[in-house]
Amino acid sequence: MFRDLERIEREFEAGLASAAGDPGAIEAVRVRFLGRKGEMQALLRRFASLPPAEKPAAGKALNALKTRIETAVAEASAAAAAVRRRAEIAAGGLDVGLPARTPWRGSLHPVTRTRRELERIFRDLGYTVESGPEVEDDFHNFQALNLPPNHPARDATDTFYVEGGLLLRTHTSPVQIRTMQARRPPIRMVCPGRVYRRDLDATHLPMFHQLEALVVDEGISMADLKGTIDALWKRFFGDDVRIRFRPGYFPFVEPGCEYDVSCRVCGGRGCRACKGTGWLELGGAGMVHPAVFEAVGIDAERYTGFAFGLGIDRIAMVRHGIDDLRLLMENDIRFLARFPA
Ligand code: FA5
């Protein structure tokens, strides 16, 4: 084995020396020594059948020679290319007037753009932007939101649990709880972020983005909630958008509702995107339940509040006319390039 290694090394040195400056000849040397049917591969096959005691030393020598050959070939190719370039320039064969290739221009992901646009609208309305952990505890994700252990509404989110009783948050609502624990009213905040559920189809992702708004102060009513939702979507989609509220159940609000906007694809006449109804469901909303105030130590006799949530990916889908949410997560550059900044 060692004699063969020495022989190969000698032959390689000689071969490379005579190929110097010729890219084709250098490539032939590379194939002869490093190729699939080359000298080094043949040695590697023999290495497998060596007695175990000889393997460590032989393996080391084999690897050292392989690395040496690879480095020498790379250096010789680079040197040959440089010589060729110099010769081309000297011969005047280089067309410096040739237009350069246009580089790819990056752009923000549609979900990021939608999130930033929503954040900007809320900042203009005087809201703070808050964030919280994606790995949550049961108290913040469920219990403080009036979802005690064994509450049937927990089933609505098929949850990813992790060790130590923790879970990947199923909504951004725990950030409401953390904000109310840290600050006293008046509170006016939004919390955008990633959330996780065991979902996967054209309109459901296992990881998606929500944004939730919370306002707590004296005298806040359902009229404030409706006015805020109306203002938000008019700024986002334009003044012609119509909003409708339907009764809905979420344990952390009372009364609770869901809200829809008139379909942006067909203008409300009915199409595939709105399943013929003329309306697109955007999210849930309601007045903060007194049990939630109790969990965070806010006096429910003095303060009232509203909260609403939305799915950012779904909004991006509506905004850009995308019919399958999964496209937003596959990050295929051909798809993303359709949304230049
Ligand atoms: C909630 O998560 C409530 N926390 C929202 C809320 C906040 C209600 C405050 C009341 C007061 P829901 O499970 O409906 O609600 O999710 C909100 C939005 O997230 C949905 O309207 C939808 O747009 C989006 N969404 C839900 N599941 C998925 C999913 N798997 N993939 C993409 N978007 C989803």
Side-chain angles (χ1 to χ4, degrees), residues 20 29 64-65 79 97 145 164 177 195 207 218 240 253 277 289 318 333:
V29 171
L65 180 59
L145 288 156
I177 301 300
V195 303
M207 186 284 287
E218 290 178 22
D240 60 332
V253 287
T277 64
H289 197 290
V318 173
I333 198 79

Side-chain angles (χ1 to χ4, degrees), residues 27 104 135 234 245:
E27 175 60 12
W104 276 87
V135 181
K234 287 209 158 111
F245 292 83

Side-chain angles (χ1 to χ4, degrees), residues 41-195:
Q41 275 304 329
L43 269 195
L44 266 175
R45 276 192 291 278
R46 271 178 46 205
F47 171 78
S49 54
L50 282 182
E54 290 177 26
K55 275 190 169 168
K60 212 164 144 191
L62 247 168
N63 273 334
L65 180 59
K66 186 159 173 273
T67 311
R68 226 181 82 56
I69 294 181
E70 282 167 352
T71 315
V73 166
E75 282 169 2
S77 305
V83 168
R84 201 149 94 184
R85 238 183 346 262
R86 273 197 298 276
E88 275 173 1
I89 293 170
L94 190 71
D95 181 359
V96 290
L98 209 64
R101 285 203 192 115
T102 329
W104 276 87
R105 281 194 64 176
S107 60
L108 290 175
H109 192 282
V111 171
T112 306
R113 271 158 56 189
T114 307
R115 173 175 60 73
R116 289 195 182 178
E117 205 176 327
L118 291 166
E119 281 177 18
R120 192 180 45 74
I121 294 175
F122 280 107
R123 280 208 173 91
D124 287 352
L125 293 172
Y127 286 61
T128 60
V129 178
E130 311 289 343
S131 60
E134 289 176 32
V135 181
E136 259 300 359
D137 56 45
D138 198 90
F139 176 78
H140 289 92
N141 195 82
F142 289 128
Q143 289 175 42
L145 288 156
N146 201 22
L147 279 147
N150 305 322
H151 192 293
R154 284 191 179 212
D155 289 351
T157 57
D158 233 343
T159 310
F160 291 114
Y161 286 94
V162 294
E163 279 171 15
L166 299 175
L167 51 110
L168 300 184
R169 66 180 179 189
T170 58
H171 48 182
T172 42
S173 308
V175 188
Q176 282 189 36
I177 301 300
R178 290 184 178 276
T179 307
M180 287 191 283
Q181 284 177 323
R183 298 214 315 253
R184 296 291 96 182
I187 292 171
R188 217 183 291 154
M189 68 96 172
V190 287
C191 45
R194 280 188 280 268
V195 303

Side-chain angles (χ1 to χ4, degrees), residues 276-336:
T277 64
W279 295 95
L280 296 165
E281 283 183 34
L282 286 196
M287 300 304 293
V288 179
H289 197 290
V292 174
F293 282 145
E294 195 182 319
V296 295
I298 287 181
D299 180 0
E301 293 297 325
R302 179 169 171 200
Y303 294 107
T304 49
F306 69 72
F308 63 94
L310 55 96
I312 302 179
D313 316 72
R314 295 259 181 96
I315 310 291
M317 191 179 183
V318 173
R319 155 98 355 140
H320 296 291
I322 300 162
D323 61 5
D324 190 328
L325 264 193
R326 289 168 293 196
L327 289 167
L328 284 173
M329 291 300 128
E330 283 166 4
N331 285 338
D332 183 330
I333 198 79
R334 290 165 300 182
F335 171 75
L336 294 176

